[in-house]
Amino acid sequence: MDLGILAFGGYLPQSRLQRTEIAKMHGWYNPGLKGLAKGERAIANWDEDAITMAVEAARDCLKGQDRSSISAVFMASTSFPFEDRQNAGVVAEALNLKSQLMTLDLAASQRAGSSGLSVALQAANGSGAPILFTASEQRQTKAASPQEMTYGDGAAAVLVGKGNVVARFVGSHTEAADFVDHFRGSGHDYDYAWEERWLRDEGYLKIVPEAINAVLEKTGVAAGDINTFCFPAAMKRVAGMLAKKTGLNETAVADNLQATCGETGAAHPVVMLVHALETAKPGDKILVTGFGQGCDALIFETTDAIKTLAPRTAISGHLARRRADSNYARFLTVNGLVTMEEGIRAEVDKQTGLSTHYRNRDMAQRMIGGCCKECGTLQFPKSNVCVNPNCGAIGTQEDHAFADKKARLNSFTSDRLTYSPDPPAHYGMIQFEDGGRLMADFTDIDPDQDLQVGMAMKLMFRVKDHDKNRGFRRYFWKATPDNDYQGTAPAEAAE
C-alpha cells in the first residue's frame, strides 16, 4: 500500500485586516510600510488561537473519514497557547477521538510544520495506522513592524497513512543549519528579525537549493517534472529565483498567498500544500519546502483518489469566507497591543477549577450530550432524566456527539451591558436539526449582517474565556452563521 496523504483540510479566520489601514496608522513613523500596503491579512478573532484554528482545520480534513482509526495527533506551531500542557491533546479532545492514541507538539522553528509532516509520515509508515497532523499559527507582532504587515493567522491539517492516498509520498530531504534570520527568546512576545537581504542571499538562495537538489536526486524526479513548487515565504520573487536556480519550471511556482491571507509561519508549508492539492490533477508532483534553521523538502504525487475525495472547505473555501476589516483599533485591542478600560463588569476572577474542568471535559471540549435509548430524544447537556415530557425515563442517556450537527437559530440577543472583548456580546438559543437545544455564545458575527430567527448555524471550537492572571484558557463550542447550509428549518424556528 502507498504511504501518503489520505485527506486534507484548512482553516483561515474570517476577518481580513486591510494592510492599507496599517500603513495609514504608522506611515508617519515607518514610511517603508507603504511598500507593503497591498492586499489583506487573515486575523484571528479574540476567541481564536492556534488550538482552535487547528481544530477547525482538522474537522475539515476529517470529513468523510473514520476517526476511530486515527492512532496519533501531531500539532506544529511556534505560538502554542500553552507552554506546559499538551496542545495536541486539546485538539484530540475537541475532535472526540479515542483516548488510545499518541499526542505530540512540535515547535521552536518555522520549520516545525514541514518537519512535523515528515515525522508524521515516518511514524505512520511504521505503525500502519493513520496519523492526523495539524499546523497552526497566531503570532504576535509589534505595531508598525514589517511583520505586522506580512504575517497572517491560519491552520492546515492532513491525515497521513497507508492506503487509498490522494497524494503519494515520494520522498524527502532535510538540510540542517543554525542559520538565524530571526528568533524569539524565552519570555519574549515578539520575533526579533535581521535584515531581509541577509535572509534572502545567505539563507534562501544558498540553503534551500541544497535541499531541493538533494530530494530530486534522492527520488529520481526531474526538476522539470515538478508541477507545483510551494515555497512559504512572504518575500517577493524569491520563489522564482529558487526555481531558476534549481531547474524548476517558472510556471510551477505556487501563489504564496501573501496578498490574500499573509504568511502563516510554521503552518504555511502545509497551508500551501493543502491549497495546491485542491486543484491538483492525478499525476501532479508537488514539491513543498519549509525553511527555519535549515530546510525541509518533500515531494508528493497525486493519485486518482483525489477526484473522489469528499468536498471540503480547505484553503480556497476559507479565502472566499472573508470579511474585509478596516478597524485597525479593534485588531490592536483583541491582540492585547493596547490597554483598554474594560469596565467593572470585566472585574471577575476567571479561575477555572481544574477538577471540575476535567470531570466535565466530555461536555465542554468534546460537545457530548445525551440520547435517550428509550425514546430517542436528544438533549444537551446530558442528564440522568430524559427531557421528553412523554418519556421522563431515568438512567437511559447514552453519549451523543453534537459538534458537527447542523442547527437553526431560535432566538438571539445582542448585549452591550455584558462584558465582551469584542462588543456587543451575541448569544441565544439554537436548535439542532435532529433534536436538542443549546443556549450558546455566538462568534464571527458580521456587524453588517442581521441575525434572523430560522437562519442556519453551526458550532465552532473557541476560547470561552481567558484567565490572564494564571494564563489558563478555557474552551467551549460557540455558534456561528452557516451560510453554506441549506437544510430544513425546525418547525419552531420556521414559525
Side-chain angles (χ1 to χ4, degrees):
M1 292 189 292
D2 287 332
L3 171 69
I5 297 172
L6 297 163
F8 56 85
Y11 177 77
L12 298 174
Q14 177 179 266
S15 186
R16 309 294 157 77
L17 181 62
Q18 305 303 295
R19 293 193 177 101
T20 53
E21 299 301 319
I22 305 175
K24 285 179 186 177
M25 180 65 69
H26 299 302
W28 67 274
Y29 181 76
N30 185 356
L33 295 178
K34 296 177 182 179
L36 299 172
K38 296 179 181 179
E40 57 191 20
R41 55 160 292 183
I43 57 172
N45 205 342
W46 76 266
D47 56 356
E48 293 186 283
D49 60 21
I51 284 179
T52 67
M53 292 189 293
V55 169
E56 294 304 322
R59 293 174 73 194
D60 189 43
C61 173
L62 296 178
K63 289 177 180 176
Q65 301 296 314
D66 178 15
R67 297 190 184 188
S68 65
S69 65
I70 296 174
S71 64
V73 177
F74 295 172
M75 181 180 174
S77 181
T78 66
S79 53
F80 282 120
F82 293 95
E83 291 185 5
D84 188 355
R85 183 189 180 190
Q86 189 91 147
N87 296 269
V90 182
V91 173
E93 286 258 332
L95 297 173
N96 196 25
L97 300 181
K98 62 187 180 184
S99 61
Q100 298 84 12
L101 47 70
M102 175 187 290
T103 56
L104 178 66
D105 293 343
L106 302 107
S109 170
Q110 294 298 289
R111 196 155 51 87
S114 54
S115 295
L117 179 55
S118 294
V119 170
L121 286 161
Q122 294 173 29
N125 188 40
S127 69
I131 291 176
L132 176 66
F133 175 72
T134 65
S136 181
E137 201 83 282
Q138 187 203 8
R139 294 171 293 174
Q140 297 296 297
T141 56
K142 289 183 178 179
S145 66
Q147 290 76 27
E148 186 179 43
M149 285 286 199
T150 60
Y151 284 7
D153 303 328
V158 289
L159 183 67
V160 301
K162 294 181 178 179
N164 190 27
V165 298
V166 299
R168 181 175 64 88
F169 176 55
V170 179
S172 65
H173 180 80
T174 295
E175 289 286 329
D178 189 28
F179 175 85
V180 185
D181 60 291
H182 81 280
F183 63 91
R184 184 166 72 248
S186 177
H188 292 260
D189 295 327
Y190 309 107
D191 293 349
Y192 180 86
W194 208 243
E195 61 174 320
E196 289 187 351
R197 185 177 59 176
W198 166 257
L199 170 59
R200 181 194 64 201
D201 295 348
E202 294 296 321
Y204 291 155
L205 296 181
K206 289 187 177 180
I207 298 174
V208 177
E210 293 289 334
I212 292 176
N213 290 331
V215 76
L216 292 174
E217 182 179 358
K218 184 184 296 186
T219 59
V221 175
D225 291 338
I226 297 295
N227 301 95
T228 306
F229 171 41
C230 301
F231 182 65
M235 206 177 295
K236 292 181 180 179
R237 296 185 292 274
V238 172
M241 296 168 69
L242 289 170
K244 184 177 181 180
K245 193 167 185 178
T246 57
L248 301 173
N249 294 321
E250 184 179 352
T251 55
V253 176
D255 178 8
N256 65 0
L257 305 177
Q258 182 58 210
T260 51
C261 83
E263 186 255 312
T264 59
H268 213 56
V270 194
V271 166
M272 291 187 69
L273 172 60
V274 168
H275 192 232
L277 288 170
E278 291 181 74
T279 56
K281 302 183 295 295
D284 281 359
K285 292 183 175 62
I286 301 172
L287 169 63
V288 58
T289 56
F291 185 86
Q293 291 74 62
C295 180
D296 298 316
L298 301 90
I299 297 178
F300 297 91
E301 182 178 8
T302 53
T303 70
D304 289 335
I306 202 164
K307 297 186 294 185
T308 58
L309 188 67
R312 56 211 54 238
T313 309
I315 299 301
S316 294
H318 283 101
L319 287 173
R321 178 189 173 268
R322 62 176 289 278
R323 175 166 56 84
D325 192 341
S326 59
N327 192 341
Y328 178 66
R330 176 184 174 278
F331 168 76
L332 292 177
T333 302
V334 300
N335 282 278
L337 296 174
V338 293
T339 301
M340 300 288 285
E341 172 53 54
E342 298 178 338
I344 59 175
R345 288 185 174 89
E347 295 174 359
V348 177
D349 191 340
K350 297 180 180 179
Q351 181 183 16
T352 297
L354 298 183
S355 53
T356 303
H357 178 270
Y358 181 75
R359 292 189 182 105
N360 291 283
R361 69 191 188 282
D362 284 352
M363 177 191 71
Q365 294 190 172
R366 294 177 180 265
M367 198 62 192
I368 298 297
C371 176
C372 177
K373 61 184 179 183
E374 293 292 331
C375 68
T377 297
L378 302 182
Q379 62 187 74
F380 189 92
K382 182 181 175 182
S383 70
N384 196 41
V385 181
C386 177
V387 297
N388 186 341
N390 298 319
C391 179
I394 299 175
T396 60
Q397 295 287 304
E398 296 179 331
D399 286 351
H400 193 85
F402 278 81
D404 295 323
K405 288 188 172 297
K406 303 297 183 180
R408 293 283 175 175
L409 182 60
N410 268 6
S411 64
F412 62 91
T413 297
S414 297
D415 189 346
R416 287 193 176 273
L417 293 179
T418 300
Y419 168 73
S420 171
D422 185 20
H426 298 281
Y427 53 89
M429 181 73 73
I430 63 171
Q431 179 170 323
F432 296 101
E433 189 173 63
D434 297 329
R437 292 182 176 183
L438 173 68
M439 179 63 75
D441 290 330
F442 299 163
T443 190
D444 287 353
I445 302 301
D446 189 335
D448 297 324
Q449 177 186 12
D450 293 330
L451 291 172
Q452 297 180 353
V453 171
M455 70 186 301
M457 305 289 282
K458 64 180 179 181
L459 295 181
M460 301 185 80
F461 191 67
R462 293 295 176 97
V463 175
K464 174 67 174 176
D465 54 46
H466 186 190
D467 181 359
K468 296 180 181 178
N469 292 329
R470 303 169 185 86
F472 190 81
R473 299 186 185 203
R474 190 158 55 94
Y475 298 92
F476 194 59
W477 295 82
K478 298 182 181 180
T480 191
D482 186 359
N483 297 323
D484 298 327
Y485 181 49
Q486 303 296 327
T488 303
E492 292 93 334
E495 293 172 2

